[in-house]
Amino acid sequence: MSGGFQRFESRLESMISGVFARAFRSAVQPVEISAALQREVDNNAQILSRDRRLVPNDFHVELSRTDLDRLGPYASTLSQEMADSLRDHADAQSYVFPGPVQISFEVAEDLPTGRLRVRSRAQAKVTSNATNTQVGRATAYLEINGTRHPLTPPGAVVGRGTDADVRINDPGVSRRHIEFRVGSSQHGGPLQVSVVDLGSTNGMLIDGQKVAQSPLDDGSVVRIGNTTMTVRLVAEGAR
Protein backbone atom coordinates (compact mmCIF):
# COMPACT_ATOMS: atom_id res chain seq x y z
CA MET A 1 0.00 0.00 0.00
CA SER A 2 1.43 3.40 -0.96
CA GLY A 3 2.12 6.09 1.60
CA GLY A 4 -0.64 8.24 0.11
CA PHE A 5 -3.26 5.54 0.63
CA GLN A 6 -2.02 4.87 4.17
CA ARG A 7 -2.34 8.56 5.07
CA PHE A 8 -5.78 8.66 3.44
CA GLU A 9 -7.08 5.70 5.45
CA SER A 10 -5.50 6.97 8.66
CA ARG A 11 -7.23 10.34 8.34
CA LEU A 12 -10.59 8.66 7.80
CA GLU A 13 -10.19 6.33 10.75
CA SER A 14 -9.22 9.17 13.06
CA MET A 15 -12.25 11.21 12.01
CA ILE A 16 -14.85 8.52 12.57
CA SER A 17 -13.22 6.62 15.45
CA GLY A 18 -13.17 3.16 13.96
CA VAL A 19 -16.90 3.01 13.25
CA PHE A 20 -16.16 3.23 9.56
CA ALA A 21 -13.99 0.12 9.54
CA ARG A 22 -16.68 -1.94 11.27
CA ALA A 23 -19.43 -0.71 8.96
CA PHE A 24 -17.41 -1.51 5.86
CA ARG A 25 -15.89 -4.83 6.93
CA SER A 26 -17.64 -6.87 4.19
CA ALA A 27 -18.26 -4.07 1.70
CA VAL A 28 -16.27 -1.89 -0.67
CA GLN A 29 -13.38 -0.35 1.24
CA PRO A 30 -12.62 3.39 0.99
CA VAL A 31 -9.07 2.71 -0.14
CA GLU A 32 -10.47 0.65 -3.04
CA ILE A 33 -12.59 3.59 -4.16
CA SER A 34 -9.65 5.97 -3.91
CA ALA A 35 -7.47 3.60 -5.94
CA ALA A 36 -10.20 3.26 -8.58
CA LEU A 37 -10.46 7.05 -8.86
CA GLN A 38 -6.71 7.36 -9.37
CA ARG A 39 -6.80 4.66 -12.06
CA GLU A 40 -9.65 6.50 -13.77
CA VAL A 41 -7.55 9.66 -13.84
CA ASP A 42 -4.47 7.83 -15.13
CA ASN A 43 -6.41 6.00 -17.85
CA ASN A 44 -8.08 9.16 -19.15
CA ALA A 45 -5.18 11.61 -19.16
CA GLN A 46 -4.95 13.63 -22.39
CA ILE A 47 -1.65 15.23 -23.40
CA LEU A 48 -1.74 19.03 -23.42
CA SER A 49 2.00 19.60 -23.69
CA ARG A 50 5.22 17.83 -22.79
CA ASP A 51 4.72 18.60 -19.10
CA ARG A 52 0.94 18.82 -18.72
CA ARG A 53 -1.95 16.39 -19.15
CA LEU A 54 -5.67 17.07 -18.85
CA VAL A 55 -7.64 14.68 -16.63
CA PRO A 56 -11.30 14.28 -15.61
CA ASN A 57 -12.56 16.25 -12.63
CA ASP A 58 -16.18 15.07 -12.33
CA PHE A 59 -16.55 11.53 -10.94
CA HIS A 60 -19.56 9.29 -10.32
CA VAL A 61 -18.81 6.25 -8.14
CA GLU A 62 -21.41 3.53 -8.67
CA LEU A 63 -22.00 1.00 -5.88
CA SER A 64 -24.48 -1.70 -4.95
CA ARG A 65 -27.42 -0.55 -2.87
CA THR A 66 -26.00 -2.34 0.18
CA ASP A 67 -22.64 -0.59 -0.16
CA LEU A 68 -24.25 2.79 -0.81
CA ASP A 69 -26.46 2.43 2.27
CA ARG A 70 -23.40 1.68 4.40
CA LEU A 71 -21.46 4.57 2.87
CA GLY A 72 -24.26 7.12 3.29
CA PRO A 73 -23.32 8.58 6.70
CA TYR A 74 -19.71 9.11 5.53
CA ALA A 75 -20.32 10.25 1.93
CA SER A 76 -19.49 13.91 2.51
CA THR A 77 -16.28 13.11 4.40
CA LEU A 78 -15.27 10.53 1.81
CA SER A 79 -15.85 12.93 -1.09
CA GLN A 80 -13.70 15.61 0.51
CA GLU A 81 -10.87 13.26 1.45
CA MET A 82 -10.86 11.50 -1.92
CA ALA A 83 -10.83 14.83 -3.75
CA ASP A 84 -7.82 15.92 -1.67
CA SER A 85 -6.10 12.62 -2.46
CA LEU A 86 -6.77 13.06 -6.19
CA ARG A 87 -5.37 16.59 -6.13
CA ASP A 88 -2.19 15.30 -4.47
CA HIS A 89 -1.92 12.58 -7.13
CA ALA A 90 -2.48 15.13 -9.91
CA ASP A 91 0.25 17.40 -8.56
CA ALA A 92 2.70 14.52 -8.49
CA GLN A 93 1.88 13.49 -12.08
CA SER A 94 1.62 17.01 -13.61
CA TYR A 95 -2.08 16.50 -14.31
CA VAL A 96 -4.40 19.47 -14.90
CA PHE A 97 -8.05 19.52 -13.79
CA PRO A 98 -10.25 21.79 -15.95
CA GLY A 99 -12.40 22.72 -12.96
CA PRO A 100 -13.17 21.79 -9.34
CA VAL A 101 -12.94 18.10 -8.43
CA GLN A 102 -16.40 16.67 -7.72
CA ILE A 103 -17.12 13.14 -6.50
CA SER A 104 -20.61 11.71 -6.05
CA PHE A 105 -21.84 8.26 -5.03
CA GLU A 106 -24.74 6.54 -6.81
CA VAL A 107 -26.54 3.21 -6.70
CA ALA A 108 -26.13 0.73 -9.56
CA GLU A 109 -28.63 -2.11 -9.34
CA ASP A 110 -26.48 -4.40 -11.50
CA LEU A 111 -23.50 -4.33 -9.11
CA PRO A 112 -23.15 -6.94 -6.34
CA THR A 113 -21.96 -6.03 -2.86
CA GLY A 114 -18.23 -5.36 -2.80
CA ARG A 115 -18.01 -4.17 -6.42
CA LEU A 116 -17.78 -0.64 -7.76
CA ARG A 117 -17.66 1.26 -11.04
CA VAL A 118 -16.37 4.76 -11.80
CA ARG A 119 -17.64 7.09 -14.54
CA SER A 120 -15.85 10.34 -15.18
CA ARG A 121 -15.69 13.37 -17.44
CA ALA A 122 -13.65 16.53 -17.80
CA GLN A 123 -16.03 19.36 -16.94
CA ALA A 124 -14.60 22.84 -17.39
CA LYS A 125 -15.27 25.67 -14.97
CA VAL A 126 -17.50 28.28 -16.61
CA THR A 127 -17.76 31.93 -15.50
CA SER A 128 -19.28 35.19 -16.72
CA ASN A 129 -20.14 38.60 -15.33
CA ALA A 130 -23.90 38.06 -15.50
CA THR A 131 -25.89 38.70 -12.32
CA ASN A 132 -28.52 36.35 -10.92
CA THR A 133 -31.17 38.90 -11.94
CA GLN A 134 -29.92 38.93 -15.54
CA VAL A 135 -29.95 35.13 -15.63
CA GLY A 136 -33.47 34.98 -14.22
CA ARG A 137 -34.87 37.48 -16.72
CA ALA A 138 -33.12 36.09 -19.81
CA THR A 139 -35.28 34.91 -22.70
CA ALA A 140 -32.18 33.49 -24.41
CA TYR A 141 -29.38 31.78 -22.56
CA LEU A 142 -26.71 29.09 -22.70
CA GLU A 143 -26.65 26.01 -20.47
CA ILE A 144 -23.03 25.00 -19.88
CA ASN A 145 -21.91 22.40 -17.34
CA GLY A 146 -24.85 23.04 -15.05
CA THR A 147 -24.65 26.86 -15.29
CA ARG A 148 -26.77 29.42 -17.17
CA HIS A 149 -25.45 32.41 -19.08
CA PRO A 150 -27.83 34.96 -20.64
CA LEU A 151 -27.64 35.97 -24.30
CA THR A 152 -28.67 39.58 -24.91
CA PRO A 153 -28.23 41.88 -27.94
CA PRO A 154 -25.79 42.36 -29.57
CA GLY A 155 -24.31 39.03 -28.35
CA ALA A 156 -21.50 37.38 -26.43
CA VAL A 157 -18.02 36.02 -27.09
CA VAL A 158 -17.23 32.61 -25.59
CA GLY A 159 -13.63 31.55 -25.03
CA ARG A 160 -10.84 30.76 -22.60
CA GLY A 161 -9.42 34.28 -22.40
CA THR A 162 -10.15 36.80 -19.68
CA ASP A 163 -11.69 39.19 -22.21
CA ALA A 164 -14.40 36.70 -23.27
CA ASP A 165 -17.93 37.36 -22.03
CA VAL A 166 -18.35 33.69 -21.10
CA ARG A 167 -15.08 32.11 -19.97
CA ILE A 168 -14.53 28.34 -20.19
CA ASN A 169 -11.45 26.80 -18.57
CA ASP A 170 -11.06 24.17 -21.29
CA PRO A 171 -7.64 23.79 -22.97
CA GLY A 172 -9.39 22.82 -26.21
CA VAL A 173 -11.10 26.23 -26.31
CA SER A 174 -9.34 29.22 -27.89
CA ARG A 175 -9.07 32.54 -26.07
CA ARG A 176 -11.83 33.98 -28.30
CA HIS A 177 -13.42 30.88 -29.78
CA ILE A 178 -16.96 31.70 -30.95
CA GLU A 179 -19.41 34.59 -30.88
CA PHE A 180 -23.14 34.30 -30.34
CA ARG A 181 -24.92 37.08 -32.20
CA VAL A 182 -28.30 38.12 -30.85
CA GLY A 183 -30.95 40.12 -32.71
CA SER A 184 -34.32 41.41 -31.63
CA SER A 185 -37.33 39.13 -31.49
CA GLN A 186 -40.01 39.15 -34.17
CA HIS A 187 -43.69 39.57 -33.23
CA GLY A 188 -43.06 38.64 -29.59
CA GLY A 189 -41.22 35.44 -30.45
CA PRO A 190 -37.82 34.38 -29.12
CA LEU A 191 -34.68 36.41 -29.83
CA GLN A 192 -32.87 35.65 -33.08
CA VAL A 193 -29.57 33.93 -32.26
CA SER A 194 -26.73 32.74 -34.48
CA VAL A 195 -23.13 31.68 -33.81
CA VAL A 196 -19.91 32.24 -35.73
CA ASP A 197 -16.44 30.75 -35.28
CA LEU A 198 -13.84 33.46 -34.61
CA GLY A 199 -10.97 31.62 -36.31
CA SER A 200 -10.46 29.17 -33.43
CA THR A 201 -7.85 26.43 -33.50
CA ASN A 202 -10.27 23.51 -33.08
CA GLY A 203 -13.46 24.83 -34.65
CA MET A 204 -16.98 24.10 -33.43
CA LEU A 205 -19.73 21.54 -33.88
CA ILE A 206 -23.42 22.44 -34.17
CA ASP A 207 -25.63 19.44 -33.44
CA GLY A 208 -22.69 17.20 -34.33
CA GLN A 209 -21.79 18.95 -37.61
CA LYS A 210 -18.64 21.03 -38.06
CA VAL A 211 -19.57 24.48 -39.38
CA ALA A 212 -18.11 27.99 -39.36
CA GLN A 213 -21.40 29.75 -38.63
CA SER A 214 -25.05 28.86 -38.21
CA PRO A 215 -28.44 30.17 -37.06
CA LEU A 216 -29.58 28.53 -33.84
CA ASP A 217 -32.88 27.21 -32.53
CA ASP A 218 -34.08 26.37 -29.05
CA GLY A 219 -32.21 23.20 -28.06
CA SER A 220 -29.32 23.62 -30.51
CA VAL A 221 -26.15 22.01 -29.13
CA VAL A 222 -22.83 23.76 -29.68
CA ARG A 223 -19.57 21.97 -28.86
CA ILE A 224 -16.14 23.59 -28.58
CA GLY A 225 -13.12 21.75 -27.21
CA ASN A 226 -14.40 19.28 -24.61
CA THR A 227 -17.34 21.49 -23.66
CA THR A 228 -20.96 21.25 -24.80
CA MET A 229 -23.46 24.08 -24.47
CA THR A 230 -27.19 24.05 -25.14
CA VAL A 231 -29.04 27.10 -26.49
CA ARG A 232 -32.35 27.97 -24.84
CA LEU A 233 -34.74 30.43 -26.53
CA VAL A 234 -38.03 31.43 -24.91
CA ALA A 235 -40.74 33.61 -26.44
CA GLU A 236 -41.13 36.90 -24.54
CA GLY A 237 -44.71 36.15 -23.49
CA ALA A 238 -43.85 32.66 -22.24
CA ARG A 239 -41.96 33.80 -19.15
Side-chain angles (χ1 to χ4, degrees), residues 88-213:
D88 290 343
H89 181 63
D91 289 343
Q93 300 297 325
S94 298
Y95 292 156
V96 177
F97 293 115
V101 176
Q102 302 179 76
I103 301 171
S104 62
F105 301 95
E106 302 171 0
V107 67
E109 301 293 353
D110 63 316
L111 289 178
T113 301
R115 298 291 298 276
L116 68 101
R117 182 166 56 229
V118 177
R119 294 183 292 108
S120 68
R121 61 180 174 174
Q123 182 164 279
K125 181 180 180 181
V126 185
T127 57
S128 71
N129 295 326
T131 65
N132 289 336
T133 299
Q134 289 172 322
V135 173
R137 291 178 176 174
T139 57
Y141 58 90
L142 299 173
E143 292 181 342
I144 316 173
N145 294 351
T147 62
R148 287 187 178 186
H149 304 273
L151 292 172
T152 56
V157 171
V158 177
R160 187 167 42 85
T162 56
D163 60 338
D165 299 300
V166 179
R167 298 171 293 281
I168 303 178
N169 184 31
D170 180 336
V173 172
S174 297
R175 295 183 61 82
R176 290 171 59 86
H177 199 115
I178 56 176
E179 182 179 11
F180 289 91
R181 295 175 178 173
V182 183
S184 58
S185 63
Q186 297 180 359
H187 309 296
L191 293 172
Q192 304 298 300
V193 180
S194 62
V195 64
V196 59
D197 190 291
L198 298 177
S200 66
T201 301
N202 297 319
M204 69 173 173
L205 299 176
I206 308 296
D207 297 327
Q209 301 296 316
K210 190 165 187 176
V211 297
Q213 59 184 0

Side-chain angles (χ1 to χ4, degrees), residues 40-57:
E40 185 72 10
V41 164
D42 293 338
N43 292 339
N44 289 280
Q46 302 177 41
I47 296 174
L48 295 177
S49 65
R50 185 177 64 180
D51 301 320
R52 299 168 69 241
R53 285 179 286 177
L54 178 72
V55 293
N57 61 310

Side-chain angles (χ1 to χ4, degrees), residues 12 39 48-49 51 69-70 97 112 127 158 216 222 228 231:
L12 282 177
R39 286 195 301 273
L48 295 177
S49 65
D51 301 320
D69 288 345
R70 289 171 172 170
F97 293 115
T127 57
V158 177
L216 299 170
V222 181
T228 297
V231 178

Side-chain angles (χ1 to χ4, degrees), residues 10-115:
S10 296
R11 286 199 302 270
L12 282 177
E13 288 179 354
S14 65
M15 278 187 286
I16 53 185
S17 304
V19 175
F20 191 93
R22 292 193 296 274
F24 279 85
R25 185 171 293 118
S26 60
V28 169
Q29 299 299 315
V31 70
E32 294 178 68
I33 301 175
S34 191
L37 289 168
Q38 290 194 12
R39 286 195 301 273
E40 185 72 10
V41 164
D42 293 338
N43 292 339
N44 289 280
Q46 302 177 41
I47 296 174
L48 295 177
S49 65
R50 185 177 64 180
D51 301 320
R52 299 168 69 241
R53 285 179 286 177
L54 178 72
V55 293
N57 61 310
D58 184 55
F59 302 90
H60 298 264
V61 179
E62 297 182 345
L63 301 161
S64 71
R65 185 168 298 279
T66 299
D67 284 328
L68 188 60
D69 288 345
R70 289 171 172 170
L71 180 148
Y74 319 108
S76 178
T77 298
L78 274 177
S79 294
Q80 181 177 341
E81 286 297 320
M82 289 178 179
D84 289 343
S85 180
L86 275 182
R87 282 188 284 267
D88 290 343
H89 181 63
D91 289 343
Q93 300 297 325
S94 298
Y95 292 156
V96 177
F97 293 115
V101 176
Q102 302 179 76
I103 301 171
S104 62
F105 301 95
E106 302 171 0
V107 67
E109 301 293 353
D110 63 316
L111 289 178
T113 301
R115 298 291 298 276

